[in-house]
Amino acid sequence: MIDINSKQYFHLNNEKISYLFYVMKNGQLGHLYYGKDLGDLTEDDLRYIACHNNKASGTVKFAPEFSTFSLADRMQEYPTYGTSDFREGAISLEQGKDILYPDFKYQDYSVSNQRPRNLAKPGAYSEAGESQTLTIRLLDQDHQLELKLFYTIFKHNSAIVRNSQIRNIGNDDIKIQNLQSLTLELPTSDYDFLQLSGAWIKERHIKKRPLIQGITKIESLRGASSHQENPFIALTAKNVSLNHGEIYASNLIYSGNFVSQVEVDEWGTGRLMTGINPATFTWQLKKDEVFASPEAVIFYTNHGYNGLMTQTHQFAKQHIIDRKWQTIKRPIVINSWEACVFDFDEAKLLKLAQEAKNLGMECFVLDDGWFGHRDNDRTSLGDWSVDRKKFPQGLDHFSSALHKMGMQFGLWFEPEMVFPNTALFKRHPDWVVHHPYSRYSIGRGQYVLDFANPEVVDDIYQQMARIISKCHVDYLKWDMNRNITEAYSPYLKKLHLPQGEFFHRYILGVYHLYEKLLTSFPHLLIEGCASGGGRYDLGIMFYSPQIWPSDDSDAAERLDIMSGTMLAYPLSAFSNHVSAVPNGHVRRITSLKFRQDVASFGPLGYELDLNALSFPQKQAIHDQIEWYKQRRDLLVNGSFRQLIPLDDHNKYAWSVSKSKEQIIGFFRKLAKPNDTLDQYLSLSDLNLKAHYTINQQMTVSGKMLASFGLREPYQFNASNANTAQVAGDFQSYLFELKQD
């Protein structure tokens, strides 16, 4: 997978892609190519693609001895601003009051076949024989700095994982102001910039804009990857469709402040960079100290959006999420929140749990309100002790009753927050994130704990571990409802460290708490949640095999959230709940069937008062759960493909396939009068020599399905009452295809 020629050319390739770079005449690294596999390359091939004897007009020579060489018109692997290149660079350093212009020259390389999973920090992992990692070592002799660039290629994926590491080998301190995780240079910018943007309760909608000269970027400055933006971006060819067209994409295995951007220069070439947001970042590096950027990943496909999803989903499932969750059944949960909010006791909860058990649910998740004196959302965060008024015999007694019932026990925490009326705050007011002035912001009545301080993380871990151990918790919902303001750490002040280190140290503290919990409780299923989808990223997914994608559980809104989310993240991570109507966030009323059909794709749950339902509603839920259980592995771990163009925001269809089975979901938000009678969904990945049974009613050849497609369900048109299969607004219809 990694070929090195003359210690100058480096070719990472598999059957899907080639990634090619080389050592330029100035000793720095130049980028040559990333795209479809080039096969075996001769030295003549390499010299030809690297030939760049011309110098663009209006540029500055890199050095007097290089008459035709300027970095302004060269594609580079890790560029530095201001050394004849005036585009934004991947690295910015200071020493005292001096700005440095480092000149990192190639020294040597090494190749490793090992990439074990390490809970200490999120990153890609692989098993034996699945990947190779190339490490390039560069040196700036003048400033006594060592830079290592890491490249990992996987045997069966188009992904290239990259990050950088800098070591101070001199005697003087330096400050890192910017250290991006990766740079990808493209010879053209004739792409649209696709981002997944939105807001609370409408996260990760697909938005596109053309690249033009200048910088196109998204970023977060909130301390989390955020509801508003997501670290994933894609550059899509102008002619891209579901199954055709080139796409380059990047994502960051990180959950804190980030930037993802593309800069287009005067010649129309593009430079993609992603990493920690330098706007809120400084890092002090003393002699012999090392700093490593988070890992980032790039993808390439020439098979359109479905080709991209094949790569991003496979990468996340095989190299980010712990693989054990592909074989462990995700429990069907009943979450207590909508049914009870804060108004409950043990008897009320057990009644709800028994009804859930009768309907086939498998895990009771006790949401907010079980601790301190938490009768509203303005108290008790930080004091994780059981509310004895609600649980006079203890939470372990309630958990034991659930387990005897045959139910798993899930519990809600918001470990990163604290209220000013808690014992924790009164003991340690210095554990709160705030600047040292009289006024600082408060959100939801709560403050953010200083997770840059290891003592804070350990205190919260000890509180959580006592509960998890004593109550035999199987499932943990980790919430985070407030972004960081007045980012200032008393802990860093005490250590005389720059406050610019806070945001990165904070998210490392979050990861450390995950690490401690999963080390102590390796079978604990942790569902990520950040006021819904405010931290839906590969960093959290490394620890949480599923994430609550949005507080908005309205099925119609979830169609758009899912369409965006699936471009970057697998279906197995998309946690679903069937909730009550009118929906609490949009007041929309949809049928139980529509809500259940949408929620069936991915891990399934319910969040409503089951005891308030009618007998027919309960029977429908029971039947749906039985149907889902028989197909759970397919619906959670199957391969996901879109069947209707992504710019159609009224009609949606997707397939999930595994082995010889496919389930296809069709959804329409608003009915159209007298619509076209016969419309077809284009299917792929069919065996043309086999036959397929559709909903146990009709058998059709694979060749016929591939040629004509799958007929959409008949929509009511005022004249076809006897044959219509869907009618009214918010339609849903499921097809099940089985290969003979």
Side-chain angles (χ1 to χ4, degrees), residues 596-632:
Q596 290 194 129
D597 285 351
V598 173
S600 291
F601 291 88
L604 175 64
Y606 286 79
E607 190 168 340
L608 68 171
D609 187 354
L610 301 174
N611 293 305
L613 300 179
S614 66
F615 177 78
Q617 289 173 320
K618 292 180 181 180
Q619 188 63 48
I621 290 174
H622 176 273
D623 293 346
Q624 174 71 8
I625 288 175
E626 287 301 305
W627 177 89
Y628 178 87
K629 285 180 178 179
Q630 294 170 22
R631 298 157 180 84
R632 174 167 20 200

